[in-house]
Amino acid sequence: MGYTVKMVADLAGVSVRTLHHYDAIGILSPQERSPAGYRVYSHADLERLQQVLFFRELGFGLREIKTILSDPSFDRRQALRGHRELLCSRRERIERLIGAVDGTLASLEGGSELSEEAMFEGFDNAEYEEEARRKWGHTAAYKESRERAEAYSQDDWNDIMQQQQTILRDIAGLADRSPDDPDVLDAVRRMHNLINDRFYACPLAMFRGLGDLMVEDPRFTDTFDKLRPGLALFYRQAVHAYCDQVQGQ
Amino acid sequence: MGYTVKMVADLAGVSVRTLHHYDAIGILSPQERSPAGYRVYSHADLERLQQVLFFRELGFGLREIKTILSDPSFDRRQALRGHRELLCSRRERIERLIGAVDGTLASLEGGSELSEEAMFEGFDNAEYEEEARRKWGHTAAYKESRERAEAYSQDDWNDIMQQQQTILRDIAGLADRSPDDPDVLDAVRRMHNLINDRFYACPLAMFRGLGDLMVEDPRFTDTFDKLRPGLALFYRQAVHAYCDQVQGQ
DNA sequence: TCTTGACCCTGACGCAACGTGAGGGTGTAG
DNA sequence: CTACACCCTCACGTTGCGTCAGGGTCAAGA
């Protein structure tokens, strides 16, 4: 009526070493030992292992799992809700990364020459539109912004492009200031407003993500650095400062 | 015209220690040193750091990054495509986890008593339907299965429930066999077909996810273990074996 | 000129969650 | 009696840094 390590390992799909480890850190110590010192797991041990693996799969650390399982008064719902948040943010992050990879792939495959005016070309293509729709397609803000954007004429677009260039040059001129200098923040805010229209009322998180992209994606950094070396990094810092400020309000 | 460690660290948003580390493992060694032995980073170093951080953000290991950056003949597109796949599977995994957390939260908040017939109740509620729609709502298989499911009468549902119970009992009776025993695999296949109808033609990945859920979620394990202790684990193994077999074909 | 205080350096240990031997005992089937 | 499949306990390796410890460097102010 007892299981050996190997049996338990095969049943649960973990390694023997893992069970040894769990024993060593006291998260799952078999209640019995054979005369020869062999670990003998009971059915109760198996159940506990199930719980351990469940929480491990959810991404909890072993230390946390130990307290969760040992302290019955522990608020599991609280822990699970907190963990859900964590998972959601991870998912968002991964979606951003996939977007970034797609963008880089597109630029690698589509040839490497990009004119200066095409700086924001990447934001315009179907890929980003698709991603934006996936993420915020269900919101009212998306619909409204979409309609606004569709009403733009070619002249309007050109105008917007010029505004972008102007703002970027403003920021380049302010690159000696602190990233949270009021003038810098104001320029970033103008950029945010502009992108809001094109990007369908993007939330702060996305705007911040775009700021990060500037630093990560050669398409942007190259162009930024033509304006002024190090500008991409500065812009990202400014975007972060701006987001923090807005969020803090 | 050089940057100190601190300056670079603040610019790029990493720690000084990180830069030391990158120097130590040879991924980013500043070209110059001051007479006192201080690291002096050039603008080219900053650019390289940008690349490093870009790939790091994408989840590449430092070892990989080193080869990517040092070997210009390295196929970045290949690497990026492979990495995209990895990210997608991670995203799927996280979505499954969120679903599992939601299910557990629901069961914790909705009271803990579940009748034996309600074993698959969890698969029936709006939450799972919502998730299924989010994930596969755009596929033709979803639509077809959905229509089929909507045409079922109450009697049909009862019938399906009974079939489920029967299959589970079959599997319980086969729990002494190997998880990849043909009889076991056949029973699992029948379960898959059954769930296909209720679950809108779920792909293998989801079916496998359900198998995992059996082991992780107390709602299922409790009921399984009433039929036979350890059955949940066995069922999961069988599901994995089945999925591997089908996938291998 | 001396002293702060903010920098810089190089080791070197610590962390999470195990993987991977090394070296040696146990148990059972042929 | 001998394989061979298990079991045990150390104990070091892995990844990407965090965190001291112990000790130089440099610019500014008293």
Side-chain angles (χ1 to χ4, degrees), chain B residues 18-30 41 44-45 47-53 55-56 60-70:
Chain B
T18 299
L19 293 176
H20 283 178
H21 186 57
Y22 290 174
D23 189 1
I25 65 178
I27 204 175
L28 175 66
S29 300
Y41 291 86
D45 291 327
E47 278 176 7
R48 189 179 168 92
L49 177 58
Q50 270 180 214
Q51 303 268 347
V52 170
L53 295 182
F55 285 106
R56 188 188 71 165
F60 285 87
L62 296 184
R63 179 97 31 107
E64 291 168 284
I65 294 177
K66 194 174 172 184
T67 71
I68 291 176
L69 293 188
S70 64

Side-chain angles (χ1 to χ4, degrees), chain B residues 60-88:
Chain B
F60 285 87
L62 296 184
R63 179 97 31 107
E64 291 168 284
I65 294 177
K66 194 174 172 184
T67 71
I68 291 176
L69 293 188
S70 64
D71 180 4
S73 74
F74 187 87
D75 189 346
R76 298 181 184 210
R77 270 175 296 180
Q78 190 64 33
L80 283 169
R81 267 195 291 267
H83 200 72
R84 204 201 119 99
E85 302 255 317
L86 197 150
L87 288 174
C88 284

Side-chain angles (χ1 to χ4, degrees), chain A residues 140-173:
Chain A
Y142 173 86
K143 244 186 77 183
E144 185 214 318
S145 174
R146 183 81 213 228
E147 282 159 10
R148 224 182 325 154
E150 275 174 359
Y152 288 154
S153 70
Q154 188 59 45
D155 280 353
D156 290 332
W157 279 123
N158 291 342
D159 192 38
I160 287 173
M161 285 296 198
Q162 280 223 334
Q163 283 183 254
Q164 273 182 176
Q165 288 294 323
T166 308
I167 296 173
L168 275 181
R169 276 183 228 284
D170 286 355
I171 292 176

Side-chain angles (χ1 to χ4, degrees), chain A residues 199-238:
Chain A
F199 237 130
Y200 321 124
C202 71
L204 270 189
M206 186 168 184
F207 185 53
R208 188 194 289 259
L210 291 179
D212 290 340
L213 206 59
M214 301 284 156
V215 178
E216 293 157 359
D217 192 325
R219 284 181 304 169
F220 304 126
T221 51
D222 287 356
T223 328
F224 269 100
D225 283 347
K226 264 182 224 155
L227 271 162
R228 175 161 186 165
L231 184 60
L233 279 165
F234 178 77
Y235 180 70
R236 186 177 75 148
Q237 289 191 293

Side-chain angles (χ1 to χ4, degrees), chain B residues 105-170:
Chain B
L105 272 172
S107 82
L108 275 176
E109 279 162 8
S112 50
E113 292 309 319
L114 282 173
S115 69
E116 189 166 327
E117 290 79 36
M119 180 185 305
F120 283 86
E121 204 62 43
F123 293 161
D124 224 346
N125 63 27
E127 219 157 301
Y128 282 95
E129 276 201 34
E130 164 59 21
E131 187 178 337
R133 195 156 46 73
R134 249 200 353 257
K135 282 185 177 165
W136 297 288
H138 57 283
T139 66
Y142 174 86
K143 244 187 78 183
E144 185 213 317
S145 175
R146 181 84 212 226
E147 282 159 8
R148 224 181 326 153
E150 274 174 359
Y152 287 155
S153 69
Q154 188 59 47
D155 280 354
D156 289 333
W157 280 123
N158 291 342
D159 192 39
I160 287 173
M161 285 296 198
Q162 279 223 334
Q163 282 182 256
Q164 274 182 176
Q165 288 294 321
T166 307
I167 296 174
L168 276 180
R169 275 183 229 284
D170 286 356

Side-chain angles (χ1 to χ4, degrees), chain A residues 6-14, chain B residues 175 177-181 184-185 188 208 211-212 214-215 230-244:
Chain A
K6 181 108 202 313
M7 290 166 70
V8 174
D10 287 346
L11 268 172
V14 301
Chain B
R177 312 273 192 94
S178 155
D180 55 355
D181 181 287
V184 176
L185 289 183
V188 172
R208 188 194 289 260
D212 290 340
M214 302 283 156
V215 178
L231 185 58
L233 280 165
F234 177 78
Y235 179 71
R236 187 177 75 149
Q237 288 192 292
V239 165
H240 278 236
Y242 166 78
C243 290
D244 290 344

